[in-house]
Structure formats: C-alpha cells, structure tokens
Amino acid sequence: MALLAASPALAATCTPVQHPPSPAEPDDAFGFLDGTALSEPCTVDIQTEIIGHHGKQNGRFTSLNSKVEATWLAAPRWMISVAFWHAFHAIRDNTVPGYPNHNRSAFDGASVQVAYQFRERGEHAFDPGFSVGIETRYAKISEGTAFSADRYSVAIKGAIDMALSGDRLYGAFNFSLGPGTERVRLAPGHVADSALELGLAATYRLTPGGNTFVGVNARYAASFGNAFYGRWSGHAILAGPTLYHEFGTVGPLQYVFLSVAWTPQIWGRAAAGATGNYDLVNAERQQFRLRIGGML
C-alpha cells in the first residue's frame, strides 16, 4: 500500500522534460536479457514484444507469445510494469509427446511486475548496477498443448549490468526462478512445474556515441516437474546474436528503439534422453525476441 500511495506523490512533484538527442544507453540491447535502468519520473515506457518458439523434433511447431507492456516509476528506485498477452500456436504432426495438432490465436492473460533498483550502473568499467523484481502472471492458454487453461506463475528475477570498456562494450547477467501451476480446462486437477534460467550477454556500440549495438547472449534453462525443483525434466543452452538500434523521437514517443535477438538451442537433454542431444520437450530448436518501444 505504501508503494501505491507514493506514486501520486511522485507524479505531483515532477515535471516532464523533452530530452535532447543523446547516445543510446545499452539497457534494452542485451537480447533476451534485461538491464537495470529505471524509468524516468513523469514518463511511461511503452513497448510491444514478440517471443517466438520454432521447431521440435519432427513436424511443425511455431509459437508466438506477444505482449504490450507499460512501465513507470512508482516511487524512488521502484518500478511497476503491467502487460497484456496474446498467444499464437501452429502445431502439426509433431512427434514430441504433449504437443497435439493445434492452430490457435487468442488473448492470453496479463502480468504485473514490481522491480527495485539496489544500485545504479556507473559510467566507469566494472561499476555494476543491480536490480531485483517479482513478476506474477495469469495465462489462459497452455504453452504445451495450446488448449484453454488456467495458469498461474511467479518469477523472481535479478539483473546485473555494467560497462566493460568505456562507453562501447557492456555486459549483463540475469537470473529467473519460480513455480507455476496449470489446469487445462475440462481436465481434472492441476499440474505444477518450476523453472530456472541463467543468462549472460555482451553488447558493443558500433560507433563512438552511436545508437546501434551488436552483441551476443546465452541462456541456460532448466525445467522441473513440480513446484519445488524436485523432479528434473530437462535443460538446454541457447545462444545467438543480438541487434539494437535507437531511432530517437518518433511522434509523441522519445528514445524509440528496436531490439532483436535470435538464440538457437546448441545443446540440451530431456529426462530419459527422450529427444537426443536437445531438450525438445521443454524448449525448441530456435527462439527469437523482437521488441519495439519508447518513452511517453
């Protein structure tokens, strides 16, 4: 309650500013990873995101999870994000168990995230920023089957980022862990699960003071068959390139950016080796993330 009460007070004491053009910051340039920067007072960060999953063992598997998200500073060092999701699945003749034929596009619930910045990233090398957050989500579509479902999940997240060399090379580390529970509609009972993800990324500014970054990101993702990490069901390593460009002001939006990342699965294993040298039960052969956003 104190956090919500602080938000109107913050809005009453700040004054919106039109920012002059400046070199891009790397906070959204880490691909599947996130930076630690906060929103600015009196602004709302708006972005749309598509996360794509493609390829299982045989047949066709394509899944697109998209969201529209608004983030704002609720109190000094505290941020709140609210997002609405949409899901698309195209599954045909897949031999991996648990993925029946399905074609569907539907609204997929909402999520709320609260984050706190313990430390702001410094301008000098190896002067890290650090933030933590917790995200709660309700989903209406089962990720595995694309059937209607009621899914509730919680993710505890952490991020560290820092300059590695002047204002040209930056690095980031993220972690995410948390349980979920799902009940496919018209099916009896709930199924619990949990997940762990660790990620590293580096991004390089192409020109001094420029607005374009290229880089690489890698993630380790592990899945478990209950809510408390007690029954391992698979793990995978995904790695690939990233691209980020900031366009500046477009209409009412400032700091408009485009961020793209692609991470094929380079190694993995499902429980009992069900899909060989890849975990194609809990993950896919390829994943990508596309984000477009700006500050209002």
Side-chain angles (χ1 to χ4, degrees), residues 33-36 113 116 129-134 155-161 172-177 197 199:
L33 279 68
D34 298 317
T36 63
Q113 180 173 221
Y116 179 75
F130 175 49
S131 66
V132 297
I134 183 166
I156 299 169
K157 301 180 177 182
I160 297 172
D161 63 358
F173 167 76
N174 283 187
F175 72 83
S176 175
L177 64 140
E197 185 168 298

Side-chain angles (χ1 to χ4, degrees), residues 10-98:
L10 184 69
T13 57
C14 63
T15 305
V17 239
Q18 187 74 21
H19 295 271
S22 60
E25 293 294 325
D27 301 288
D28 292 299
F30 297 116
F32 277 86
L33 279 68
D34 298 317
T36 63
L38 297 174
S39 298
E40 296 191 23
C42 300
T43 66
V44 178
D45 292 335
I46 304 291
Q47 69 172 260
T48 183
E49 170 182 308
I50 299 173
I51 297 179
H53 310 261
H54 180 73
K56 291 288 185 179
Q57 195 164 34
N58 292 296
R60 178 185 178 190
F61 180 92
T62 298
S63 168
L64 300 176
N65 298 103
S66 57
K67 69 176 178 178
V68 176
E69 183 175 50
T71 303
W72 65 94
L73 196 67
R77 295 189 177 273
W78 287 94
M79 281 199 311
I80 292 180
S81 300
V82 176
F84 295 95
W85 294 75
H86 183 274
F88 167 81
H89 290 82
I91 307 171
R92 178 66 56 186
D93 300 330
N94 203 294
T95 58
V96 177

Side-chain angles (χ1 to χ4, degrees), residues 15-239:
T15 305
V17 239
Q18 187 74 21
H19 295 271
S22 60
E25 293 294 325
D27 301 288
D28 292 299
F30 297 116
F32 277 86
L33 279 68
D34 298 317
T36 63
L38 297 174
S39 298
E40 296 191 23
C42 300
T43 66
V44 178
D45 292 335
I46 304 291
Q47 69 172 260
T48 183
E49 170 182 308
I50 299 173
I51 297 179
H53 310 261
H54 180 73
K56 291 288 185 179
Q57 195 164 34
N58 292 296
R60 178 185 178 190
F61 180 92
T62 298
S63 168
L64 300 176
N65 298 103
S66 57
K67 69 176 178 178
V68 176
E69 183 175 50
T71 303
W72 65 94
L73 196 67
R77 295 189 177 273
W78 287 94
M79 281 199 311
I80 292 180
S81 300
V82 176
F84 295 95
W85 294 75
H86 183 274
F88 167 81
H89 290 82
I91 307 171
R92 178 66 56 186
D93 300 330
N94 203 294
T95 58
V96 177
Y99 297 92
N101 291 351
H102 216 114
N103 284 280
R104 184 171 192 179
S105 177
F107 174 68
D108 193 24
S111 62
V112 176
Q113 180 173 221
V114 177
Y116 179 75
Q117 185 194 59
F118 282 93
R119 192 175 193 276
E120 185 177 1
R121 184 186 69 244
E123 296 181 0
H124 302 292
F126 303 103
D127 187 8
F130 175 49
S131 66
V132 297
I134 183 166
E135 180 182 40
T136 60
R137 184 181 172 195
Y138 166 67
K140 295 171 63 65
I141 307 296
S142 169
E143 179 62 28
T145 64
F147 293 145
S148 295
D150 291 302
R151 176 173 177 81
Y152 302 90
S153 61
V154 176
I156 299 169
K157 301 180 177 182
I160 297 172
D161 63 358
M162 69 183 77
L164 299 176
S165 179
D167 67 345
R168 302 291 297 275
L169 182 63
Y170 295 84
F173 167 76
N174 283 187
F175 72 83
S176 175
L177 64 140
T181 181
E182 177 178 298
R183 180 182 181 275
V184 175
R185 291 176 193 172
L186 304 181
H190 287 75
V191 176
D193 58 75
S194 50
L196 167 68
E197 185 168 298
L198 306 174
L200 288 171
T203 189
Y204 178 75
R205 191 191 306 270
L206 287 181
T207 58
N211 292 337
T212 302
F213 292 82
V214 294
V216 62
N217 61 175
R219 294 173 293 138
Y220 169 79
S223 304
F224 299 84
N226 59 27
F228 301 103
Y229 300 91
R231 191 169 76 249
W232 175 80
S233 58
H235 59 182
I237 295 175
L238 305 101

